[in-house]
Amino acid sequence: MKAGKRLKSAVCTTNVVVVRAADVTLSCGGSPVVEEFDGAVAGDLPEGFDGGTQLGKRYVHEASGLEVLCVAAGQGALSVDGELLEIKAAKSLPASD
């Protein structure tokens, strides 16, 4: 997995771009993401992996350092080895006086 690579979910409409690469297998909706997918989405998501993705949000896997940007939202949740990815929180700006 390289930074800048666009990946698609095979079970929903989620598309992501890799921002910070890691040597892991990224999944969406419990199924590994793919580079090219022309088929119809399956639509059946296992319980726990149906949390969805949000357009424009960055998702991170703290243990590996993987960071992806969601460029098309979907119904499946992003995960690595069964561990759900979290939305990257924005850094707070320093207080001005």
mmCIF file of all heavy atoms in Angstrom, residues 9-50:
data_model
loop_
_atom_site.group_PDB
_atom_site.id
_atom_site.type_symbol
_atom_site.label_atom_id
_atom_site.label_comp_id
_atom_site.label_asym_id
_atom_site.label_seq_id
_atom_site.Cartn_x
_atom_site.Cartn_y
_atom_site.Cartn_z
ATOM 1 N N SER A 9 -14.179 0.012 -1.668
ATOM 2 C CA SER A 9 -14.813 -1.064 -0.922
ATOM 3 C C SER A 9 -15.532 -1.989 -1.899
ATOM 4 O O SER A 9 -16.069 -1.535 -2.906
ATOM 5 C CB SER A 9 -15.807 -0.497 0.079
ATOM 6 O OG SER A 9 -16.570 -1.537 0.651
ATOM 7 N N ALA A 10 -15.560 -3.267 -1.569
ATOM 8 C CA ALA A 10 -16.280 -4.235 -2.388
ATOM 9 C C ALA A 10 -17.693 -4.466 -1.869
ATOM 10 O O ALA A 10 -18.473 -5.182 -2.493
ATOM 11 C CB ALA A 10 -15.515 -5.553 -2.432
ATOM 12 N N VAL A 11 -18.029 -3.870 -0.725
ATOM 13 C CA VAL A 11 -19.349 -4.124 -0.133
ATOM 14 C C VAL A 11 -20.203 -2.865 0.002
ATOM 15 O O VAL A 11 -21.364 -2.951 0.392
ATOM 16 C CB VAL A 11 -19.214 -4.804 1.238
ATOM 17 C CG1 VAL A 11 -18.600 -6.185 1.108
ATOM 18 C CG2 VAL A 11 -18.410 -3.952 2.197
ATOM 19 N N CYS A 12 -19.632 -1.704 -0.261
ATOM 20 C CA CYS A 12 -20.421 -0.459 -0.186
ATOM 21 C C CYS A 12 -19.762 0.569 -1.104
ATOM 22 O O CYS A 12 -18.860 0.237 -1.856
ATOM 23 C CB CYS A 12 -20.530 0.045 1.253
ATOM 24 S SG CYS A 12 -19.001 0.662 1.946
ATOM 25 N N THR A 13 -20.188 1.796 -1.015
ATOM 26 C CA THR A 13 -19.713 2.837 -1.934
ATOM 27 C C THR A 13 -18.506 3.608 -1.410
ATOM 28 O O THR A 13 -18.109 4.604 -2.013
ATOM 29 C CB THR A 13 -20.852 3.836 -2.217
ATOM 30 O OG1 THR A 13 -21.304 4.373 -0.973
ATOM 31 C CG2 THR A 13 -22.002 3.154 -2.939
ATOM 32 N N THR A 14 -17.891 3.159 -0.332
ATOM 33 C CA THR A 14 -16.745 3.856 0.251
ATOM 34 C C THR A 14 -15.535 3.824 -0.678
ATOM 35 O O THR A 14 -15.187 2.780 -1.227
ATOM 36 C CB THR A 14 -16.359 3.213 1.594
ATOM 37 O OG1 THR A 14 -17.448 3.360 2.502
ATOM 38 C CG2 THR A 14 -15.115 3.854 2.182
ATOM 39 N N ASN A 15 -14.914 4.996 -0.855
ATOM 40 C CA ASN A 15 -13.642 5.134 -1.565
ATOM 41 C C ASN A 15 -12.716 5.929 -0.668
ATOM 42 O O ASN A 15 -13.150 6.910 -0.051
ATOM 43 C CB ASN A 15 -13.803 5.886 -2.881
ATOM 44 C CG ASN A 15 -14.480 5.060 -3.931
ATOM 45 O OD1 ASN A 15 -14.053 3.958 -4.230
ATOM 46 N ND2 ASN A 15 -15.551 5.590 -4.490
ATOM 47 N N VAL A 16 -11.452 5.501 -0.594
ATOM 48 C CA VAL A 16 -10.484 6.199 0.236
ATOM 49 C C VAL A 16 -9.192 6.416 -0.547
ATOM 50 O O VAL A 16 -8.909 5.707 -1.506
ATOM 51 C CB VAL A 16 -10.156 5.428 1.540
ATOM 52 C CG1 VAL A 16 -11.383 5.283 2.415
ATOM 53 C CG2 VAL A 16 -9.530 4.081 1.245
ATOM 54 N N VAL A 17 -8.430 7.420 -0.124
ATOM 55 C CA VAL A 17 -7.093 7.677 -0.643
ATOM 56 C C VAL A 17 -6.131 7.503 0.519
ATOM 57 O O VAL A 17 -6.362 8.049 1.602
ATOM 58 C CB VAL A 17 -6.977 9.100 -1.233
ATOM 59 C CG1 VAL A 17 -5.548 9.414 -1.615
ATOM 60 C CG2 VAL A 17 -7.909 9.246 -2.426
ATOM 61 N N VAL A 18 -5.062 6.755 0.305
ATOM 62 C CA VAL A 18 -4.078 6.517 1.359
ATOM 63 C C VAL A 18 -3.243 7.777 1.547
ATOM 64 O O VAL A 18 -2.633 8.269 0.600
ATOM 65 C CB VAL A 18 -3.172 5.316 1.016
ATOM 66 C CG1 VAL A 18 -2.108 5.122 2.082
ATOM 67 C CG2 VAL A 18 -4.007 4.061 0.826
ATOM 68 N N VAL A 19 -3.244 8.318 2.755
ATOM 69 C CA VAL A 19 -2.469 9.510 3.085
ATOM 70 C C VAL A 19 -1.117 9.102 3.661
ATOM 71 O O VAL A 19 -0.081 9.612 3.277
ATOM 72 C CB VAL A 19 -3.233 10.397 4.086
ATOM 73 C CG1 VAL A 19 -2.398 11.584 4.535
ATOM 74 C CG2 VAL A 19 -4.551 10.858 3.483
ATOM 75 N N ARG A 20 -1.136 8.160 4.604
ATOM 76 C CA ARG A 20 0.088 7.656 5.227
ATOM 77 C C ARG A 20 0.010 6.133 5.163
ATOM 78 O O ARG A 20 -0.879 5.517 5.756
ATOM 79 C CB ARG A 20 0.207 8.125 6.667
ATOM 80 C CG ARG A 20 1.544 7.805 7.293
ATOM 81 C CD ARG A 20 1.755 8.434 8.642
ATOM 82 N NE ARG A 20 1.575 9.889 8.545
ATOM 83 C CZ ARG A 20 1.061 10.628 9.527
ATOM 84 N NH1 ARG A 20 0.704 10.070 10.645
ATOM 85 N NH2 ARG A 20 0.916 11.917 9.380
ATOM 86 N N ALA A 21 0.921 5.532 4.440
ATOM 87 C CA ALA A 21 0.877 4.092 4.182
ATOM 88 C C ALA A 21 1.409 3.281 5.359
ATOM 89 O O ALA A 21 2.192 3.777 6.176
ATOM 90 C CB ALA A 21 1.695 3.772 2.936
ATOM 91 N N ALA A 22 0.954 2.036 5.425
ATOM 92 C CA ALA A 22 1.428 1.075 6.406
ATOM 93 C C ALA A 22 1.291 -0.310 5.795
ATOM 94 O O ALA A 22 0.524 -0.511 4.845
ATOM 95 C CB ALA A 22 0.627 1.183 7.692
ATOM 96 N N ASP A 23 2.025 -1.267 6.328
ATOM 97 C CA ASP A 23 1.994 -2.629 5.804
ATOM 98 C C ASP A 23 0.902 -3.421 6.526
ATOM 99 O O ASP A 23 1.192 -4.285 7.357
ATOM 100 C CB ASP A 23 3.358 -3.291 5.993
ATOM 101 C CG ASP A 23 3.445 -4.609 5.242
ATOM 102 O OD1 ASP A 23 2.669 -4.814 4.305
ATOM 103 O OD2 ASP A 23 4.291 -5.436 5.627
ATOM 104 N N VAL A 24 -0.356 -3.094 6.212
ATOM 105 C CA VAL A 24 -1.517 -3.747 6.819
ATOM 106 C C VAL A 24 -2.549 -4.014 5.728
ATOM 107 O O VAL A 24 -2.424 -3.520 4.614
ATOM 108 C CB VAL A 24 -2.144 -2.870 7.921
ATOM 109 C CG1 VAL A 24 -1.188 -2.685 9.080
ATOM 110 C CG2 VAL A 24 -2.576 -1.531 7.362
ATOM 111 N N THR A 25 -3.560 -4.796 6.075
ATOM 112 C CA THR A 25 -4.668 -5.039 5.157
ATOM 113 C C THR A 25 -5.863 -4.216 5.624
ATOM 114 O O THR A 25 -6.419 -4.471 6.690
ATOM 115 C CB THR A 25 -5.039 -6.530 5.123
ATOM 116 O OG1 THR A 25 -3.899 -7.280 4.696
ATOM 117 C CG2 THR A 25 -6.188 -6.775 4.167
ATOM 118 N N LEU A 26 -6.229 -3.232 4.824
ATOM 119 C CA LEU A 26 -7.365 -2.367 5.147
ATOM 120 C C LEU A 26 -8.642 -3.027 4.662
ATOM 121 O O LEU A 26 -8.701 -3.541 3.543
ATOM 122 C CB LEU A 26 -7.184 -1.006 4.476
ATOM 123 C CG LEU A 26 -8.317 -0.002 4.649
ATOM 124 C CD1 LEU A 26 -8.457 0.401 6.121
ATOM 125 C CD2 LEU A 26 -8.073 1.216 3.778
ATOM 126 N N SER A 27 -9.651 -3.021 5.513
ATOM 127 C CA SER A 27 -10.950 -3.591 5.156
ATOM 128 C C SER A 27 -12.029 -2.540 5.314
ATOM 129 O O SER A 27 -11.888 -1.596 6.086
ATOM 130 C CB SER A 27 -11.280 -4.785 6.059
ATOM 131 O OG SER A 27 -10.328 -5.811 5.893
ATOM 132 N N CYS A 28 -13.116 -2.748 4.587
ATOM 133 C CA CYS A 28 -14.294 -1.891 4.727
ATOM 134 C C CYS A 28 -15.513 -2.804 4.773
ATOM 135 O O CYS A 28 -15.691 -3.654 3.886
ATOM 136 C CB CYS A 28 -14.404 -0.921 3.558
ATOM 137 S SG CYS A 28 -15.805 0.204 3.727
ATOM 138 N N GLY A 29 -16.309 -2.660 5.790
ATOM 139 C CA GLY A 29 -17.474 -3.531 5.945
ATOM 140 C C GLY A 29 -17.093 -4.977 6.165
ATOM 141 O O GLY A 29 -17.862 -5.880 5.849
ATOM 142 N N GLY A 30 -15.894 -5.215 6.686
ATOM 143 C CA GLY A 30 -15.432 -6.567 6.964
ATOM 144 C C GLY A 30 -14.756 -7.261 5.808
ATOM 145 O O GLY A 30 -14.245 -8.372 5.958
ATOM 146 N N SER A 31 -14.697 -6.631 4.634
ATOM 147 C CA SER A 31 -14.044 -7.219 3.452
ATOM 148 C C SER A 31 -12.881 -6.335 3.023
ATOM 149 O O SER A 31 -13.006 -5.106 3.060
ATOM 150 C CB SER A 31 -15.028 -7.341 2.292
ATOM 151 O OG SER A 31 -16.079 -8.201 2.625
ATOM 152 N N PRO A 32 -11.773 -6.938 2.590
ATOM 153 C CA PRO A 32 -10.617 -6.145 2.164
ATOM 154 C C PRO A 32 -10.979 -5.188 1.020
ATOM 155 O O PRO A 32 -11.777 -5.528 0.149
ATOM 156 C CB PRO A 32 -9.611 -7.191 1.686
ATOM 157 C CG PRO A 32 -10.003 -8.446 2.374
ATOM 158 C CD PRO A 32 -11.498 -8.386 2.516
ATOM 159 N N VAL A 33 -10.410 -3.984 1.065
ATOM 160 C CA VAL A 33 -10.631 -3.025 -0.017
ATOM 161 C C VAL A 33 -9.802 -3.435 -1.226
ATOM 162 O O VAL A 33 -8.827 -4.170 -1.099
ATOM 163 C CB VAL A 33 -10.274 -1.591 0.426
ATOM 164 C CG1 VAL A 33 -11.197 -1.112 1.519
ATOM 165 C CG2 VAL A 33 -8.831 -1.506 0.866
ATOM 166 N N VAL A 34 -10.212 -2.953 -2.412
ATOM 167 C CA VAL A 34 -9.552 -3.324 -3.655
ATOM 168 C C VAL A 34 -9.220 -2.063 -4.441
ATOM 169 O O VAL A 34 -9.770 -0.994 -4.185
ATOM 170 C CB VAL A 34 -10.449 -4.249 -4.499
ATOM 171 C CG1 VAL A 34 -10.641 -5.580 -3.794
ATOM 172 C CG2 VAL A 34 -11.788 -3.602 -4.790
ATOM 173 N N GLU A 35 -8.311 -2.208 -5.429
ATOM 174 C CA GLU A 35 -7.961 -1.065 -6.268
ATOM 175 C C GLU A 35 -9.003 -0.832 -7.353
ATOM 176 O O GLU A 35 -9.351 0.295 -7.649
ATOM 177 C CB GLU A 35 -6.588 -1.277 -6.898
ATOM 178 C CG GLU A 35 -5.476 -1.243 -5.883
ATOM 179 C CD GLU A 35 -4.116 -1.378 -6.524
ATOM 180 O OE1 GLU A 35 -3.904 -0.798 -7.606
ATOM 181 O OE2 GLU A 35 -3.267 -2.071 -5.939
ATOM 182 N N GLU A 36 -9.469 -1.891 -7.948
ATOM 183 C CA GLU A 36 -10.462 -1.790 -9.017
ATOM 184 C C GLU A 36 -11.647 -2.669 -8.665
ATOM 185 O O GLU A 36 -11.481 -3.835 -8.317
ATOM 186 C CB GLU A 36 -9.868 -2.253 -10.354
ATOM 187 C CG GLU A 36 -8.749 -1.385 -10.846
ATOM 188 C CD GLU A 36 -9.212 0.013 -11.229
ATOM 189 O OE1 GLU A 36 -10.343 0.179 -11.706
ATOM 190 O OE2 GLU A 36 -8.427 0.959 -11.023
ATOM 191 N N PHE A 37 -12.837 -2.103 -8.763
ATOM 192 C CA PHE A 37 -14.040 -2.877 -8.510
ATOM 193 C C PHE A 37 -15.139 -2.346 -9.417
ATOM 194 O O PHE A 37 -15.547 -1.195 -9.310
ATOM 195 C CB PHE A 37 -14.461 -2.761 -7.034
ATOM 196 C CG PHE A 37 -15.652 -3.596 -6.691
ATOM 197 C CD1 PHE A 37 -15.538 -4.969 -6.599
ATOM 198 C CD2 PHE A 37 -16.884 -3.020 -6.473
ATOM 199 C CE1 PHE A 37 -16.628 -5.745 -6.279
ATOM 200 C CE2 PHE A 37 -17.986 -3.788 -6.158
ATOM 201 C CZ PHE A 37 -17.859 -5.162 -6.058
ATOM 202 N N ASP A 38 -15.584 -3.179 -10.336
ATOM 203 C CA ASP A 38 -16.603 -2.763 -11.284
ATOM 204 C C ASP A 38 -17.946 -3.426 -11.014
ATOM 205 O O ASP A 38 -18.928 -3.114 -11.661
ATOM 206 C CB ASP A 38 -16.161 -3.090 -12.716
ATOM 207 C CG ASP A 38 -14.939 -2.275 -13.107
ATOM 208 O OD1 ASP A 38 -14.781 -1.169 -12.580
ATOM 209 O OD2 ASP A 38 -14.149 -2.761 -13.931
ATOM 210 N N GLY A 39 -17.986 -4.355 -10.064
ATOM 211 C CA GLY A 39 -19.223 -5.076 -9.797
ATOM 212 C C GLY A 39 -20.180 -4.284 -8.930
ATOM 213 O O GLY A 39 -19.901 -3.179 -8.485
ATOM 214 N N ALA A 40 -21.322 -4.871 -8.684
ATOM 215 C CA ALA A 40 -22.315 -4.258 -7.806
ATOM 216 C C ALA A 40 -21.916 -4.510 -6.358
ATOM 217 O O ALA A 40 -21.381 -5.576 -6.024
ATOM 218 C CB ALA A 40 -23.684 -4.858 -8.083
ATOM 219 N N VAL A 41 -22.169 -3.537 -5.505
ATOM 220 C CA VAL A 41 -21.821 -3.695 -4.092
ATOM 221 C C VAL A 41 -22.742 -4.732 -3.470
ATOM 222 O O VAL A 41 -23.914 -4.850 -3.828
ATOM 223 C CB VAL A 41 -21.897 -2.363 -3.338
ATOM 224 C CG1 VAL A 41 -20.868 -1.394 -3.865
ATOM 225 C CG2 VAL A 41 -23.282 -1.757 -3.433
ATOM 226 N N ALA A 42 -22.200 -5.490 -2.510
ATOM 227 C CA ALA A 42 -22.950 -6.583 -1.898
ATOM 228 C C ALA A 42 -24.075 -6.052 -1.021
ATOM 229 O O ALA A 42 -25.181 -6.561 -1.039
ATOM 230 C CB ALA A 42 -22.011 -7.460 -1.088
ATOM 231 N N GLY A 43 -23.784 -5.047 -0.236
ATOM 232 C CA GLY A 43 -24.810 -4.447 0.595
ATOM 233 C C GLY A 43 -25.029 -5.113 1.940
ATOM 234 O O GLY A 43 -25.550 -4.491 2.841
ATOM 235 N N ASP A 44 -24.665 -6.383 2.112
ATOM 236 C CA ASP A 44 -24.816 -7.060 3.396
ATOM 237 C C ASP A 44 -23.550 -6.867 4.206
ATOM 238 O O ASP A 44 -22.484 -7.346 3.838
ATOM 239 C CB ASP A 44 -25.079 -8.552 3.200
ATOM 240 C CG ASP A 44 -26.414 -8.797 2.520
ATOM 241 O OD1 ASP A 44 -27.322 -7.964 2.701
ATOM 242 O OD2 ASP A 44 -26.535 -9.819 1.828
ATOM 243 N N LEU A 45 -23.673 -6.166 5.324
ATOM 244 C CA LEU A 45 -22.519 -5.884 6.162
ATOM 245 C C LEU A 45 -22.644 -6.627 7.477
ATOM 246 O O LEU A 45 -23.717 -6.654 8.081
ATOM 247 C CB LEU A 45 -22.429 -4.374 6.432
ATOM 248 C CG LEU A 45 -22.332 -3.487 5.190
ATOM 249 C CD1 LEU A 45 -22.454 -2.036 5.586
ATOM 250 C CD2 LEU A 45 -21.043 -3.742 4.461
ATOM 251 N N PRO A 46 -21.554 -7.234 7.953
ATOM 252 C CA PRO A 46 -21.618 -7.909 9.250
ATOM 253 C C PRO A 46 -21.811 -6.904 10.380
ATOM 254 O O PRO A 46 -21.380 -5.750 10.279
ATOM 255 C CB PRO A 46 -20.255 -8.602 9.353
ATOM 256 C CG PRO A 46 -19.387 -7.951 8.359
ATOM 257 C CD PRO A 46 -20.265 -7.336 7.316
ATOM 258 N N GLU A 47 -22.463 -7.347 11.434
ATOM 259 C CA GLU A 47 -22.710 -6.465 12.573
ATOM 260 C C GLU A 47 -21.383 -6.005 13.175
ATOM 261 O O GLU A 47 -20.446 -6.790 13.305
ATOM 262 C CB GLU A 47 -23.523 -7.205 13.625
ATOM 263 C CG GLU A 47 -24.027 -6.302 14.716
ATOM 264 C CD GLU A 47 -25.024 -6.996 15.611
ATOM 265 O OE1 GLU A 47 -25.830 -7.792 15.101
ATOM 266 O OE2 GLU A 47 -24.970 -6.744 16.807
ATOM 267 N N GLY A 48 -21.314 -4.744 13.486
ATOM 268 C CA GLY A 48 -20.083 -4.165 14.023
ATOM 269 C C GLY A 48 -19.243 -3.495 12.967
ATOM 270 O O GLY A 48 -18.395 -2.670 13.276
ATOM 271 N N PHE A 49 -19.433 -3.839 11.709
ATOM 272 C CA PHE A 49 -18.691 -3.231 10.607
ATOM 273 C C PHE A 49 -19.614 -2.407 9.725
ATOM 274 O O PHE A 49 -19.328 -2.161 8.568
ATOM 275 C CB PHE A 49 -17.980 -4.297 9.772
ATOM 276 C CG PHE A 49 -16.913 -5.021 10.525
ATOM 277 C CD1 PHE A 49 -17.165 -6.258 11.084
ATOM 278 C CD2 PHE A 49 -15.662 -4.452 10.704
ATOM 279 C CE1 PHE A 49 -16.190 -6.923 11.798
ATOM 280 C CE2 PHE A 49 -14.680 -5.105 11.410
ATOM 281 C CZ PHE A 49 -14.938 -6.345 11.964
ATOM 282 N N ASP A 50 -20.751 -1.993 10.282
ATOM 283 C CA ASP A 50 -21.746 -1.252 9.511
ATOM 284 C C ASP A 50 -21.888 0.189 10.001
ATOM 285 O O ASP A 50 -22.929 0.804 9.831
ATOM 286 C CB ASP A 50 -23.095 -1.966 9.571
ATOM 287 C CG ASP A 50 -23.574 -2.197 11.002
ATOM 288 O OD1 ASP A 50 -22.807 -1.901 11.935
ATOM 289 O OD2 ASP A 50 -24.701 -2.678 11.179
#
